[in-house]
Amino acid sequence: MKQYNKNNVPRARELRRNMTPWERKLWYLFLNKYPIRFQRQKLLGNYIADFYCSKASLVIELDGGGHYDDHQRIADLQRTDILESTNLRVLRICNLDIDRNFRGVCELIDLIVRQSLPQSACSADSPLLRGGQEGGCI
């Protein structure tokens, strides 16, 4: 999905400057150190993804309380369907999971990324499999 709505550029910049506490936690404690590149507030079509990994074709969306009313839930489902129709995988994570099970969230992201990469990228000496914070795994 290389095309994007240029009208969303100012909003994406604003969102990068004003990340939610849960986005900041996931970004600064895990994703920005991860050995496979992630981008934050990435423009994809008419959407701005919270986090995006091109190599894994993965979009990560963090959902706070506003995502659970009927109108927003329907909009999120439509957004997910559109992104998945472009061969992207969408992983939705509840903010409560960031608070209560951060390690599990990071392990899930790592697992999904590793599963999406060619086997050669996940060899035994790969930084993804070394463990420890410096390798991007927990």
Side-chain angles (χ1 to χ4, degrees), residues 16 19 22-33 40 51 102:
R16 276 185 219 115
M19 292 170 37
W22 303 276
E23 289 170 339
R24 272 195 303 276
K25 183 174 182 176
L26 186 59
W27 179 251
Y28 288 109
L29 297 181
F30 186 66
L31 293 178
N32 77 333
K33 297 175 183 96
R40 56 193 171 122
F51 301 103
F102 186 70

Side-chain angles (χ1 to χ4, degrees), residues 87-103:
N87 295 318
L88 295 174
R89 180 171 182 178
V90 178
L91 175 62
R92 303 197 80 83
I93 299 171
C94 176
N95 286 346
L96 285 175
D97 289 330
I98 298 290
D99 285 337
R100 296 179 181 169
N101 187 18
F102 186 70
R103 181 181 179 99

Side-chain angles (χ1 to χ4, degrees), residues 13-70:
R13 287 184 182 142
E14 177 187 332
L15 290 170
R16 276 185 219 115
R17 282 191 304 271
N18 299 305
M19 292 170 37
T20 69
W22 303 276
E23 289 170 339
R24 272 195 303 276
K25 183 174 182 176
L26 186 59
W27 179 251
Y28 288 109
L29 297 181
F30 186 66
L31 293 178
N32 77 333
K33 297 175 183 96
Y34 195 75
I36 305 297
R37 182 173 186 243
F38 273 87
Q39 295 172 276
R40 56 193 171 122
Q41 307 306 333
K42 175 69 175 167
L43 294 162
L44 299 169
N46 286 319
Y47 302 107
I48 303 171
D50 291 339
F51 301 103
Y52 172 69
C53 178
S54 175
K55 285 189 179 182
S57 298
L58 177 63
V59 171
I60 299 173
E61 291 291 324
L62 300 188
D63 292 344
H67 287 268
Y68 298 102
D69 69 42
D70 289 339

